[in-house]
Amino acid sequence: MSRPSAIESKHRGLLLGILILTLVTLLLGPGRAAAEAGEEDTGPVVSNARVSPSTLTYQGGSVAIDADVTDDFGITMVYAEVFGSSGIWESVQLIPSAINPAGVTTYSGTLNLPPNYTDAPLSYGIEIQATDTNGALATAFAGEIEVAEQPQFDEAPFVSNPTVTPRQLTALGGPVKIRATATDNRSISFVHANVTMPGGGTTQIDMEPVNASEFEGVFDVPGNADASAKQYAIEIVAEDDIGQPGTADAGIVTVAPPLLPPAGGPLTVSPASHSFGRVRLGHRAVRLIAVRNSGARGTPPVEGVIQASGAPFSLPRAGTDGIHFRLRPGHTRAYVVSFRPTTVGAQAGSISITRADGAQPGLSTQLSGEGVKRR
């Protein structure tokens, strides 16, 4: 590329000089002329100050600042002062961008706001300041810009390693220990177990921290009197500090039905009735009754209790609740029944036999006797 000639260089310098002179004349000429003429300077007028957009995402971005400015002498400088939470944050020079038919000049600039990585929005206030050639200052508020807070990345809590010990209970029920691990990238505020009951509905078991991430609770499982097993479904729920739940299925706890012993053979009692006849007051008469287990060989023994209805009939050597017995299949046992009248006249009573397994209705022997006077 050839170097410019001396004439070209001179021509370019002349053009640059004319341009500078023109700008100086535009900026200083009106003010100087007004000053020489003794006119009063009324100061700039700032109107239609505006910012766009007024809101930004947390990533920040560019904002356009515009204001219409007029002055009777001439404008020296137009700035946008940006105010943050701690005062003036930045100054942005505005330059002429358009002149409307009425001679009003629009000044424009661009503000670049940084990202907001906090958990609260940030606001910036914009004030337009215009100075004329005589130093008069005018201001106008252009508006506020809000930069949103950064979305807080927060997943729901993670619940793992649910355990329930024991999972199988006898008909008596009893306590089971529920334990799980719960973690969150913020914090865990509450952990509990939801227990779905066999008949419907739920109950809540609070779980306390064992350490920073392990939680434990105890569920007292009710006993089971039904003929079939009962099941309790357990779900563990952990909530973080903003209430988001995380869950884990802890499985089933089963409560067995009562263990009923296998029924033995049928019991029989004989005779069906006993009469003691006439017995003098103060004397005693005895009779025997026989209880037999009529079950086949191999069937279990039958347990039960034999009881007297009360005086004047009794079972010698019986306790307050009667005589307990256990009979193997094919065996018979005899019991002594006593009649000791204390009053004159006919007396009636009974002996009852009750099986422990409830496999058959109660058995009985009817008793009768008469008390007579001594001779």
Side-chain angles (χ1 to χ4, degrees):
M1 182 177 180
S2 60
R3 297 178 59 186
S5 64
I7 294 176
E8 290 173 341
S9 299
K10 182 176 180 182
H11 180 67
R12 291 178 181 178
L14 181 60
L15 290 176
L16 180 61
I18 293 172
L19 178 61
I20 293 173
L21 180 62
T22 302
L23 290 173
V24 171
T25 302
L26 288 173
L27 292 174
L28 300 180
R32 183 178 298 166
E36 291 173 353
E39 297 179 10
E40 182 181 358
D41 183 8
T42 59
V45 175
V46 181
S47 61
N48 199 25
R50 56 205 180 271
V51 294
S52 179
S54 60
T55 59
L56 294 172
T57 69
Y58 81 96
Q59 296 173 319
S62 297
V63 176
I65 305 173
D66 299 284
D68 297 337
V69 182
T70 58
D71 187 73
D72 52 357
F73 289 163
I75 297 298
T76 301
M77 202 73 68
V78 178
Y79 275 92
E81 297 289 358
V82 183
F83 295 87
S85 58
S86 58
I88 294 179
W89 181 76
E90 186 178 340
S91 294
V92 178
Q93 184 177 359
L94 307 184
I95 61 175
S97 60
I99 301 177
N100 69 16
V104 178
T105 302
T106 299
Y107 287 77
S108 302
T110 300
L111 170 65
N112 292 311
L113 291 175
N116 175 17
Y117 296 118
T118 71
D119 58 0
L122 295 178
S123 293
Y124 298 86
I126 309 297
E127 182 184 75
I128 307 299
Q129 298 183 358
T131 306
D132 68 10
T133 55
N134 287 330
L137 175 67
T139 63
F141 183 67
E144 287 189 352
I145 305 162
E146 183 178 277
V147 181
E149 70 276 13
Q150 181 183 23
Q152 300 301 301
F153 178 75
D154 186 18
E155 294 182 343
F158 179 62
V159 182
S160 60
N161 305 321
T163 59
V164 178
T165 309
R167 290 190 178 275
Q168 303 288 334
L169 295 174
T170 68
L172 297 177
V176 296
K177 183 183 295 184
I178 305 171
R179 187 165 180 146
T181 300
T183 57
D184 188 70
N185 62 340
R186 291 166 65 95
S187 63
I188 297 292
S189 63
F190 182 50
V191 179
H192 66 276
N194 286 333
V195 181
T196 301
M197 309 299 282
T202 60
T203 186
Q204 180 174 296
I205 306 299
D206 293 345
M207 299 175 65
E208 301 297 331
V210 177
N211 53 47
S213 60
E214 301 289 329
F215 296 81
E216 186 175 279
V218 175
F219 172 41
D220 289 318
V221 184
N224 180 14
D226 294 348
S228 59
K230 289 186 176 181
Q231 292 187 327
Y232 298 80
I234 300 177
E235 179 187 57
I236 298 174
V237 181
E239 296 180 7
D240 63 13
D241 58 348
I242 61 173
Q244 293 186 115
T247 63
D249 183 5
I252 300 292
V253 171
T254 301
V255 184
L259 291 176
L260 298 176
L267 290 181
T268 60
V269 60
S270 61
S273 62
H274 254 316
S275 174
F276 289 85
R278 295 164 61 88
V279 179
R280 292 195 298 269
L281 299 183
H283 288 248
R284 183 181 70 165
V286 296
R287 298 289 187 270
L288 292 177
I289 65 170
V291 179
R292 178 176 175 78
N293 179 352
S294 301
R297 181 180 297 180
T299 58
V302 174
E303 296 183 1
V305 62
I306 179 170
Q307 297 171 303
S309 57
F313 304 98
S314 64
L315 289 166
R317 300 181 181 177
T320 56
D321 59 346
I323 300 174
H324 292 265
F325 64 87
R326 185 173 188 269
L327 279 176
R328 290 180 293 171
H331 283 232
T332 301
R333 187 170 300 166
Y335 295 91
V336 175
V337 181
S338 172
F339 173 54
R340 189 182 184 91
T342 57
T343 60
V344 174
Q347 311 286 321
S350 64
I351 295 295
S352 61
I353 297 94
T354 305
R355 292 177 62 130
D357 59 12
Q360 68 185 100
L363 305 173
S364 64
T365 294
Q366 300 302 312
L367 306 176
S368 63
E370 182 182 355
V372 295
K373 292 181 180 180
R374 298 175 185 175
R375 292 183 179 178

